[in-house]
Structure formats: C-alpha cells, structure tokens
Amino acid sequence: MTKSELIDAIAASQAQLSLKDVELAVKTILEHMSEALASGERIEIRGFGSFSLHYREPRRGRNPKTGDTVDLTGKYVPHFKPGKELRERVNLGLQAGR
Amino acid sequence: MTALTKSEMAERLFEELGLNKREAKEIVELFFEEIRASLEGNEQVKLSGFGNFDLRDKSQRPGRNPKTGEEIPISARRVVTFRPGQKLKARVEEYAGTESQ
C-alpha cells in the first residue's frame, strides 16, 4: 500500500471529509511525526507501536569507490518498535495463511 | 521530553486544517488502523518521505525459558520492520541531541 492508496482507504472509511481533506490530513500527520523525530522526540501510539531514535557510534568507514577511509561522526537513526496489537494481528495474518 | 501521541496529532489537524475535533480524532485513528489492516493482510506499507513498513516471516527456532532454563521452541511468526526513508533519515541525522533514547 502506498501513501495515495492509504489516503483512498481512509477516505472510503469515513463519510465527512473529501479526498482532498484526507490527503492534507495524512500529509500533516506524517510531517508532524517527522518533525517530532527530527527534534529528538519519541512517538507513542498505543496498539500500533513507538518510534524513537537510536544512536550510532562514530566509526571509520570506507568510500566503496576509492577505498579511502573516512571518519564518520556519530548519528541518530529512527527506530520503530511494533506494539502488542500490531504484533498480534500481523501474526494472525500468518496463521490465516495470508 | 514527552512523546508525541494521537491526541496531539488530532489537535494539529484541528488547528491547521480546521477539521472539527471529532473528525480530527477519527482521521488519526483511521490512519493507524488502515496501516495495521494492510500489514495484517501481509501487504507492506510505503510512505514516501517517511519510510516503509515491511513484513518478514521468521521460521521456528529453538528458545529457552530464561527463568527455568527449559527449552521451548519459538514458533514461526511474522514480524513488522520499519525502514526509514532517505528524507526522514537525513532530518534525524541532523539532530545533535545529547541524550540517546
């Protein structure tokens, strides 16, 4: 499912808002989530999961083209931990043979 | 720092887009529910600019009850993994926070 298919699915599940409004809402939600993570804030959605940042230590890497070593600084990467309901439903999907 | 939750997301839809509070809450609920439903149906979810929710099937493997030391197999399961997109990774990398979470 892509972002535009998600927008279509949400629009079809409710009666009040136009497709355009749902599209704006989805983009606003994703921007809000990205902003939160970019400012070091966690996201916690019960039944879905949580997003947080994990720290990667500085390391010495290599340019794969030239073979030169490069010093890479430490950085943060986004991490997602699925919540209980999501884990259970995805597993039920497996048991149902999907 | 406090965590971002559904109620703050709904609040922003109310403030920025002028949805009423009930609509805003419903859209936020549906956003996460439709993603869960897709994953439950074994379909990955690709949100460009943010990231992809992928599915991986794991076969059964031997495990152990950490309390008793008893061997018990860990059953085959399907798990969700999240791969952040380039844009999100670039924005997060710039974060120079001192606390690791």
Side-chain angles (χ1 to χ4, degrees):
Chain A
M1 182 163 78
T2 62
K3 195 191 293 175
S4 65
E5 288 166 345
L6 172 62
I7 291 163
D8 290 343
I10 296 170
S13 300
Q14 54 85 54
Q16 305 98 41
L17 298 174
S18 68
L19 187 63
K20 192 76 205 156
D21 284 339
V22 172
E23 184 182 355
L24 269 174
V26 165
K27 290 183 172 165
T28 303
I29 292 169
L30 287 169
E31 173 56 26
H32 200 178
M33 292 171 74
S34 300
E35 252 173 47
L37 291 171
S39 63
E41 190 184 7
R42 289 169 56 85
I43 304 169
E44 287 177 6
I45 310 296
R46 179 161 306 196
F48 185 80
S50 61
F51 296 85
S52 60
L53 300 188
H54 280 188
Y55 182 64
R56 294 278 176 266
E57 295 289 343
R59 63 188 178 89
R60 182 154 291 174
R62 242 172 228 287
N63 180 330
K65 270 192 192 141
T66 63
D68 294 345
T69 57
V70 267
D71 285 323
L72 299 172
T73 53
K75 64 174 185 182
Y76 286 90
V77 293
H79 177 78
F80 175 67
K81 183 171 188 282
K84 188 161 183 274
E85 185 193 340
L86 179 59
R87 288 201 311 267
E88 287 173 353
R89 284 176 59 179
V90 160
N91 243 322
L92 285 176
L94 175 66
Q95 280 150 35
R98 286 192 285 268
Chain B
M1 195 184 288
T2 61
L4 175 61
T5 62
K6 286 191 290 189
S7 63
E8 289 164 272
M9 295 180 193
E11 185 66 22
R12 183 172 290 197
L13 297 182
F14 165 71
E15 283 168 5
E16 279 190 10
L17 304 183
L19 306 196
N20 72 42
K21 297 217 170 180
R22 189 181 45 76
E23 288 165 346
K25 190 166 177 253
E26 187 184 357
I27 292 298
V28 173
E29 284 294 339
L30 282 171
F31 174 84
F32 292 106
E33 176 51 28
E34 294 295 344
I35 296 174
R36 274 192 299 250
S38 177
L39 295 169
E40 182 178 6
N42 199 21
E43 193 188 343
Q44 69 166 170
V45 178
K46 303 200 287 190
L47 303 174
S48 69
F50 188 74
N52 296 353
F53 295 92
D54 296 327
L55 294 150
R56 294 180 65 164
D57 286 350
K58 308 262 198 182
S59 41
Q60 181 179 309
R61 62 188 169 90
R64 220 173 254 286
N65 180 329
K67 271 193 192 136
T68 63
E70 184 193 358
E71 270 196 55
I72 18 165
I74 297 168
S75 57
R77 62 194 60 205
R78 179 173 291 155
V79 297
V80 177
T81 59
F82 175 67
R83 280 179 58 89
Q86 282 306 322
K87 205 169 140 196
L88 179 63
K89 277 204 277 192
R91 285 176 72 173
V92 163
E93 254 180 61
E94 287 164 22
Y95 172 65
T98 48
E99 279 173 275
S100 56
Q101 302 187 13

